[in-house]
Amino acid sequence: MEKLLDYNPVFLAFLATLFTWFVTALGAAMVFFFREINQKFLNCMLGFAAGVMIAASFWSLLNPAIEMAEASGDIPYIPAVVGFLAGGGFLLLIDKILPHLHMSRGKEDAEGLSTNWRRSILLVLAITLHNIPEGLAVGVAFGVLAEEPSIGALMGATALAVGIGLQNFPEGAAVSVPLRREGFSRLKAFHYGQISGVVEPVFGVLGALLVLWVTPILPYALSFAAGAMIFVTIEELIPESQRGNETDYSTIGAMFGFAVMMLLDVALG
């Protein structure tokens, strides 16, 4: 593990987000085995993803941001609050501009700028939008290694990547399986499902580079990523996990997701 500290944080961020993309592809591959996903199971998995995102936002991003600001002599809550709200505002802006469609809605309910794009493209763009803060969060977490090249920082960033990867699995399936149900071939549905994760390596590298270039903004960058992730969780994951009458499953999934991510972060980080 110590040898990994010799590698460039940007390269490590790239490898980590390749992993999260790979797990998205694994989830999308469920289309080769299933044409439908049981709603209870989907609610549970989406709830799990929401729990992971909430826990990661605090344990992997906000808490380290507060500690870093405190250690540097700054007022600790300023970077946390400013960065957090800026991250949410950034995702809100993209949400208003990028055409996309939430999974449970018809094409007439598409958000963002008006377009004639097909429903399948809009569905993929919705998940792609969610993957932007995830890639950014992992990239910034590995960028911390430039300022703090320790085993603890490396393990914390690795725990975040593993947690994000775990919650990407149901997201990949939540794209590919509905597309199959709409008449797409299994291969084409898989292609659309996995491609939604392409932005994670892109924004992972950008996040790590940003931290390397402007080290003093690190607490703000961590908080920014947390705000973006919380926005996605509240805007999409939680509402989607509450579909149907079996909402207890989504709640249980969220509890387990939070617990798993907290365990990973506290035990490894």
Side-chain angles (χ1 to χ4, degrees):
M1 184 64 71
E2 291 183 2
K3 291 182 178 179
L4 287 175
L5 292 173
D6 297 330
Y7 287 91
N8 189 298
V10 177
F11 178 66
L12 293 177
F14 177 66
L15 291 181
T17 46
L18 280 182
F19 164 74
T20 60
W21 178 17
F22 172 72
V23 181
T24 302
L26 281 182
M30 292 300 100
V31 74
F32 293 112
F33 307 99
F34 306 100
R35 189 182 180 92
E36 298 277 350
I37 300 181
N38 180 276
Q39 191 61 54
K40 293 178 182 179
F41 178 74
L42 183 59
N43 282 4
C44 185
M45 292 302 291
L46 289 175
F48 180 89
V52 167
M53 295 275 274
I54 294 170
S57 296
F58 176 74
W59 295 104
S60 298
L61 299 169
L62 281 175
N63 194 46
I66 293 170
E67 290 176 349
M68 286 178 187
E70 206 167 29
S72 63
D74 296 330
I75 301 174
Y77 57 79
I78 289 181
V81 172
V82 172
F84 183 83
L85 294 178
F90 173 70
L91 258 291
L92 178 61
L93 179 63
I94 295 181
D95 189 69
K96 296 299 183 184
I97 295 174
L98 183 69
H100 63 283
L101 178 65
H102 297 304
M103 289 180 286
S104 60
R105 300 183 184 176
K107 189 176 178 182
E108 66 278 4
D109 296 320
E111 298 180 6
L113 297 177
S114 179
T115 179
N116 291 321
W117 292 347
R118 290 183 301 171
R119 173 180 165 82
S120 57
I121 299 297
L122 295 173
L123 283 170
V124 172
L125 286 175
I127 300 298
T128 301
L129 175 64
H130 302 167
N131 288 333
I132 290 175
E134 295 169 13
L136 185 64
V138 174
V140 170
F142 276 94
V144 170
L145 293 172
E147 180 75 8
E148 184 188 339
S150 65
I151 292 295
L154 176 60
M155 293 298 287
T158 302
L160 177 61
V162 171
I164 294 295
L166 287 175
Q167 65 90 42
N168 275 355
F169 186 88
E171 288 189 357
V175 176
S176 63
V177 174
L179 292 181
R180 172 60 178 163
R181 195 167 56 241
E182 292 185 15
F184 282 69
S185 69
R186 293 183 189 275
L187 189 60
K188 195 169 184 178
F190 166 74
H191 172 70
Y192 277 122
Q194 63 83 28
I195 207 170
S196 65
V198 170
V199 295
E200 292 202 9
V202 175
F203 278 85
V205 168
L206 287 176
L209 283 173
L210 179 65
V211 171
L212 263 62
W213 290 336
V214 197
T215 302
I217 70 164
L218 182 52
Y220 290 91
L222 288 166
S223 303
F224 182 96
M229 286 175 61
I230 290 295
F231 180 92
V232 164
T233 303
I234 297 172
E235 168 77 4
E236 176 68 10
L237 286 176
I238 291 176
E240 287 296 335
S241 73
Q242 297 285 321
R243 292 173 62 188
N245 297 319
E246 304 293 345
T247 56
D248 284 348
Y249 289 89
S250 51
T251 303
I252 292 169
M255 295 293 290
F256 271 100
F258 189 98
V260 167
M261 187 65 233
M262 180 171 59
L263 174 64
L264 284 173
D265 207 303
V266 175
L268 297 181

